[in-house]
Amino acid sequence: MFRTALRNVLAHKARLLMTVLAVMLGVAFVSGTLVFTSTLSDAFRNSSQKSFENVDVTLHAPSGDASSDAAGTSPQLDRPLLDTVAKVPGAATTIGLVDGYTAIADKHDKLIGSGFSTRGSNYFPGKDGKDSRYPLRDGTAPTRADQFALDARTADRAGYRVGDTVRISVDGPVREQKLTGIFTTDDAKVAAGGTLALFDTKSAQKLFHQPGFSEIQVTAASGTSQTALRQAIGKALPPGSAESMTGKQLADGQAKMVEQQMEGMKTGLLVFAGISLFVGLFLIANTFTMLVAQRTRELALLRAVGASRRQVTRSVLIEAFVVGAIAGVTGLLAGIGIGAGLRALMSTTAEAVPDGPLVVSPTAVLTALGVGIVITVLAAWLPGRRAAKIPPVAAMNSVHAVPTTKSLVVRNTLGALFAGAGTAAVLVATGMKDGKAVMAVGAVLLVIGVFILTPLLSRPLIALASPVLRLFGTAGTLARQNAVRNPRRTAATASALMVGLTLITGMTVIAGSVQKGIDKLASESLKADYVVSMDSHLPLSPEVAKTLKDTDGVVASSPMREDAARTDRGTEQLTGVDGRSFGTLTQLPFTDGSLGSLRGNQVVVDQDTAEYNGWRTGSSVPVTFLDGKKTTLTVAGVYQGNDMFRGIILDNATLAPHQKSATDTQVLVKMDGGATDAHKDALAKALGNSPAITVADKQDISAGIAKMFNLMLNMLYGLLAMAVIVAVLGVVNTLAMSVFERSQEIGMLRAIGLDRRGIKRMVRLESLVISLFGGVLGVSLGVFFGWAAGELLAKVLPSYELVLPWGRLALFLTLAAAVGVLAALWPAHRAARMNMLAAIKAE
């Protein structure tokens, strides 16, 4: 039986090629993901460990220290403590670190890098006047407040040289610094495309509002272990003055953090690989079903000469094992190539990664082979089992494979139960406060139910296309009949395309609707023309709000600050605003009371917070600020919260006395004459064209969100394209094997007058109908899931509004049609080229 199975594989090489390709694509996706993420993890891990090679012990201020101020500034380690550590026996060198956000402008005043990757720190020279962490490539270290040094990668990227004047910003206002030195570094964030600026220690402490050090790094003297040094430091310092870690612990922690960061990317990519493999299941099952059907007499003969049912099933599974092994090996090789290509692609972008070798782990190899074999054998098991059940005499007389009425009733009943339960679960989840888990289960049940019911649905839905198909004459009529001749095969082929389009459509509906909701939120909640904030979303200097208030053309402005206060039922978020102008800059919908004039202890509260605490207009709210001072606030109104405004809103004049360091999150600005390009340029100019600050109008806010969603969607489309490609292979495979099965029939059609063009048209129309059937099911399910998910999102985003992107939906159906046309090219050509006499003689 083993030899028979191998011979069958060799005898059906062409028919199994599509199956091998489908499995290979899925395996390549899986192995490529594992190779890529392992390579990135290894590169970042090695880079971070290299950064701590000369660090044996680090000291941090105690977490939760009472010295933390209301703005959330980290507690500091002071100079006396640093000097104490330096005198500990076994301590060779001691370095005090100061760091914070630092934006570097290029020569066109644009920000280099983005977000938290743009950092600043201090140059801490030792006894030799050098900082061993940052070897200077050019120039000298900074020694004055108007000087700084820059990492070599950033300097080369921006074209800066020693002696240049560079525009930088730490918390909004622009500073012009002289570049005195360019240094090299193994810092992982710099290697990943970030920037690093260095200042002298006193200047860095002033810039980053850190009177002391955020961290102290200690190098052990020769012969002193990290553990011994840590214990010695602990004994020398006052209890509770600092928390310590060894360099190894720190490096291990960094490595673990890198692994966790990579885990999210790996999981996301593997989900899409799983979708491709799931779609491939339909193709494999279809292929082996047709292969088994074509070899029914052969299998019956084996049964007649003594083969058992188990042996027949085993022979089919051996074929699947061979096919899966071949697909696994080729998929692994392709995956290694994909991993190397992605690694090279990232290295050429601005978001570069540290150098490192390509990592092909044993896990990637075993997973690739295991997935290829398991998926193929699993998909082939049911056709093999079905073939073994056919009685030998019935099979040899071709009396087989006709579904009984009982089997159809059982299948349709089961499908209806799954679909009904899934639909009910999804609908129930839409009314729940947190129904994500219930909705996910319902979605899975509904998709399974629709898949089971697809043979039943194929006849009425394909019948709808009859009027159009009749326009193509005999070829169109035959195409419709062929499409519904074997409903199970048609269903399996269409379902592969349905899965991919369901996901694509659902994500498109959700993204478009959220975008609409954000636009609505910006237009309905804001009367301000501009929102000024840091590019990094870090706090702004209060100087920015003062500058904007005095700028020509500004008729109203309000800085917004965040803080917290403790109430009887917990800690609540505070948002400080300019009480006099806030009403002219916003239009919050109030459910109780009104905004009025925020003065003194008058506050407004969002509806969720009010309901949780049992507050209403006129309620007195005792609060304790983070500085320990107590007061009683009075609720003047209750508004509907959103992503921009939430929590307790009060006047900055009331909040400021309780803040040790006042910083703003953003500034709302209204101009005389509204938002114009001239006004936007005027605000940017007033702020010195700071690279750290973003001046955004409502269109900018909307465009930024749209850009984010479009980028996300394009990535998802690219990842889901793999599933669509596998679905195309499924259609090609089904048509090719269907043409082979109908060789005699096609020969007869040719003999009675249907020309080659008619044969091609018949096959193409059949493929088009099957693909559109899958497309309609996929788009319909996608719209339903998009609507259902939107009902959950509406609870978080009240301005959410369902948007059906008709243009894209039509594009998806056009894509399904294109899949059908392209997939039919080779099968149609093959059918038309058949020799009619040879075809008529074919069995």
Side-chain angles (χ1 to χ4, degrees):
M1 292 301 294
F2 181 75
R3 288 196 298 271
T4 302
L6 291 180
R7 286 172 181 168
N8 282 326
V9 172
L10 296 175
H12 302 104
K13 294 188 293 291
R15 298 181 216 174
L16 291 170
L17 177 62
M18 295 297 178
T19 301
V20 171
L21 284 174
V23 181
M24 184 199 75
L25 286 173
V27 171
F29 207 155
V30 171
S31 56
T33 296
L34 295 176
V35 169
F36 176 58
T37 52
S38 295
T39 299
L40 281 187
S41 296
D42 186 71
F44 279 110
R45 189 186 307 110
N46 291 340
S47 178
S48 62
Q49 288 177 343
K50 193 173 182 180
S51 300
F52 299 119
E53 280 182 355
N54 297 320
V55 178
D56 292 307
V57 175
T58 63
L59 298 177
H60 297 269
S63 56
D65 192 291
S67 62
S68 297
D69 62 26
T73 302
S74 301
Q76 305 295 310
L77 307 171
D78 56 23
R79 186 76 195 199
L81 189 141
L82 178 75
D83 294 336
T84 301
V85 172
K87 296 175 184 177
V88 171
T93 59
T94 307
I95 297 174
L97 298 184
V98 184
D99 56 10
Y101 172 78
T102 303
I104 308 293
D106 63 16
K107 293 184 177 181
H108 303 287
D109 290 335
K110 300 298 182 183
L111 178 67
I112 305 174
S114 61
F116 294 98
S117 64
T118 54
R119 300 179 304 117
S121 187
N122 64 314
Y123 189 89
F124 196 93
K127 294 178 181 179
D128 59 355
K130 298 179 181 179
D131 190 332
S132 59
R133 300 169 301 162
Y134 307 116
L136 288 167
R137 189 188 74 180
D138 303 310
T140 59
T143 57
R144 300 201 313 261
D146 61 344
Q147 299 177 344
F148 85 115
L150 188 61
D151 72 271
R153 285 177 181 256
T154 303
D156 293 342
R157 189 175 12 162
Y160 285 132
R161 299 289 181 267
V162 171
D164 288 348
T165 298
V166 181
R167 292 161 56 79
I168 72 169
S169 180
V170 171
D171 54 3
V174 174
R175 299 172 58 90
E176 293 191 345
Q177 304 279 132
K178 183 178 180 180
L179 181 60
T180 62
I182 296 174
F183 60 91
T184 59
T185 177
D186 294 322
D187 189 288
K189 291 182 179 178
V190 173
T195 64
L196 179 60
L198 298 180
F199 309 90
D200 69 277
T201 299
K202 288 185 178 179
S203 299
Q205 289 173 331
K206 184 176 180 181
L207 281 172
F208 303 132
H209 307 290
Q210 297 179 12
F213 303 102
S214 57
E215 179 181 329
I216 294 176
Q217 295 182 349
V218 188
T219 304
S222 178
T224 304
S225 68
Q226 292 184 352
T227 303
L229 178 60
R230 182 188 179 194
Q231 290 174 348
I233 292 173
K235 292 177 181 178
L237 297 181
S241 60
E243 295 179 354
S244 62
M245 294 178 66
T246 64
K248 184 179 185 307
Q249 290 174 327
L250 194 61
D252 290 344
Q254 288 284 339
K256 186 176 181 181
M257 185 178 68
V258 170
E259 289 289 348
Q260 291 173 344
Q261 291 172 344
M262 291 296 108
E263 200 63 34
M265 179 190 296
K266 182 192 297 184
T267 301
L269 292 173
L270 287 178
V271 165
F272 290 98
I275 293 170
S276 297
L277 289 168
F278 178 68
V279 172
L281 279 172
F282 298 117
L283 190 159
I284 301 164
N286 236 6
T287 300
F288 277 93
T289 298
M290 289 186 279
L291 285 174
V292 168
Q294 292 168 11
R295 288 162 39 209
T296 300
R297 291 190 180 185
E298 174 190 324
L299 295 175
L301 183 59
L302 289 173
R303 289 289 310 282
V305 298
S308 65
R309 288 185 176 182
R310 184 175 295 178
Q311 286 178 310
V312 170
T313 302
R314 193 181 301 154
S315 71
V316 175
L317 295 182
I318 290 172
E319 290 182 51
F321 179 88
V322 173
V323 171
I326 294 171
V329 171
T330 54
L332 174 61
L333 296 176
I336 293 172
I338 290 172
L342 289 174
R343 171 70 173 78
L345 180 64
M346 286 197 71
S347 296
T348 59
T349 64
E351 299 297 324
V353 297
D355 295 331
L358 189 69
V359 179
V360 183
S361 64
T363 302
V365 175
L366 294 176
T367 301
L369 296 176
V371 166
I373 293 171
V374 170
I375 291 293
T376 311
V377 170
L378 183 65
W381 175 77
L382 190 59
R385 185 170 175 272
R386 191 181 297 140
K389 284 186 174 182
I390 300 173
V393 175
M396 295 178 78
N397 287 283
S398 297
V399 183
H400 62 91
V402 178
T404 62
T405 302
K406 181 180 178 182
S407 69
L408 292 175
V409 169
V410 170
R411 180 185 179 116
N412 294 337
T413 302
L414 190 63
L417 289 174
F418 270 96
T423 303
V426 170
L427 293 176
V428 168
T430 59
M432 298 172 64
K433 190 170 184 178
D434 185 12
K436 294 190 290 291
V438 175
M439 184 170 291
V441 172
V444 171
L445 291 175
L446 179 54
V447 170
I448 293 173
V450 171
F451 169 64
I452 296 173
L453 289 173
T454 306
L456 178 66
L457 298 173
S458 63
R459 290 184 180 276
L461 288 179
I462 291 177
L464 294 175
S466 295
V468 177
L469 292 174
R470 289 196 193 100
L471 299 176
F472 296 93
T474 303
T477 302
L478 291 171
R480 184 188 66 79
Q481 293 173 350
N482 289 333
V484 297
R485 178 184 294 185
N486 191 329
R488 287 186 176 181
R489 183 185 303 172
T490 297
T493 305
S495 295
L497 191 59
M498 177 193 77
V499 171
L501 286 180
T502 295
L503 293 168
I504 291 174
T505 303
M507 290 172 181
T508 302
V509 170
I510 293 171
S513 300
V514 170
Q515 174 65 44
K516 179 70 173 179
I518 296 294
D519 290 348
K520 189 176 178 182
L521 172 65
S523 62
E524 292 184 353
S525 297
L526 278 180
K527 288 193 286 186
D529 297 314
Y530 297 99
V531 177
V532 179
S533 61
M534 291 283 283
D535 176 80
S536 60
H537 305 292
L538 289 171
L540 273 168
S541 166
E543 293 180 22
V544 173
K546 294 177 182 176
T547 301
L548 291 171
K549 185 177 181 180
D550 296 334
T551 301
D552 291 340
V554 173
V555 294
S557 66
S558 171
M560 294 180 62
R561 298 177 182 176
E562 290 184 357
D563 211 308
R566 291 186 294 274
T567 66
D568 293 338
R569 299 194 62 178
T571 301
E572 297 294 342
Q573 175 184 324
L574 301 179
T575 300
V577 299
D578 186 325
R580 292 169 298 179
S581 59
F582 188 66
T584 63
L585 297 165
T586 60
Q587 44 188 7
L588 298 177
F590 277 80
T591 59
D592 188 21
S594 63
L595 179 62
S597 178
L598 292 177
R599 288 286 190 278
N601 290 345
Q602 296 286 313
V603 301
V604 292
V605 185
D606 74 276
Q607 189 172 5
D608 291 341
T609 301
E611 289 178 356
Y612 175 77
N613 290 282
W615 299 337
R616 59 180 59 87
T617 299
S619 295
S620 296
V621 181
V623 299
T624 303
F625 292 99
L626 294 186
D627 64 353
K629 301 288 181 62
K630 296 182 179 181
T631 190
T632 300
L633 304 177
T634 301
V635 178
V638 178
Y639 65 93
Q640 292 181 0
N642 53 51
D643 285 349
M644 297 187 68
F645 304 102
R646 192 176 297 277
I648 300 173
I649 300 178
L650 72 167
D651 190 13
N652 275 328
T654 304
L655 179 62
H658 304 285
Q659 292 184 298
K660 186 176 181 180
S661 175
T663 56
D664 303 326
T665 57
Q666 56 190 15
V667 182
L668 306 181
V669 180
K670 189 173 183 62
M671 303 291 291
D672 183 13
T676 65
D677 290 341
H679 283 157
K680 187 175 182 179
D681 291 340
L683 292 178
K685 186 176 181 180
L687 296 171
N689 292 317
S690 172
I693 293 179
T694 300
V695 179
D697 59 21
K698 293 178 184 179
Q699 289 184 343
D700 292 330
I701 295 173
S702 177
I705 296 169
K707 183 179 179 181
M708 178 183 68
F709 277 114
N710 288 333
L711 178 62
M712 179 187 71
L713 275 180
N714 290 336
M715 289 176 62
L716 294 176
Y717 289 162
L719 293 170
L720 288 172
M722 187 72 72
V724 176
I725 291 172
V726 174
V728 172
L729 293 176
V731 178
V732 173
N733 210 21
T734 299
L735 289 175
M737 301 190 80
S738 178
V739 166
F740 176 82
E741 285 182 347
R742 304 203 309 263
S743 296
Q744 193 175 59
E745 176 187 317
I746 291 172
M748 290 295 295
L749 289 172
R750 290 289 315 283
I752 61 175
L754 190 63
D755 59 10
R756 289 183 174 177
R757 181 178 297 177
I759 294 293
K760 285 184 179 181
R761 185 178 299 155
M762 177 187 72
V763 176
R764 288 170 182 165
L765 289 174
E766 179 184 350
S767 175
L768 182 63
V769 167
I770 293 174
S771 297
L772 281 175
F773 171 51
V776 168
L777 286 180
V779 170
S780 301
L781 280 175
V783 169
F784 176 68
F785 290 143
W787 165 80
E791 292 297 301
L792 288 181
L793 288 172
K795 295 178 175 62
V796 181
L797 182 65
S799 58
Y800 180 89
E801 182 178 328
L802 179 66
V803 174
L804 294 181
W806 296 108
R808 291 205 177 188
L809 297 183
L811 180 63
F812 296 155
L813 289 176
T814 303
L815 174 64
V819 166
V821 172
L822 292 174
L825 291 178
W826 177 61
H829 177 75
R830 181 182 176 190
R833 301 297 297 177
M834 280 185 184
N835 183 292
M836 70 176 73
L837 295 179
I840 291 172
K841 289 187 209 177
E843 294 187 3

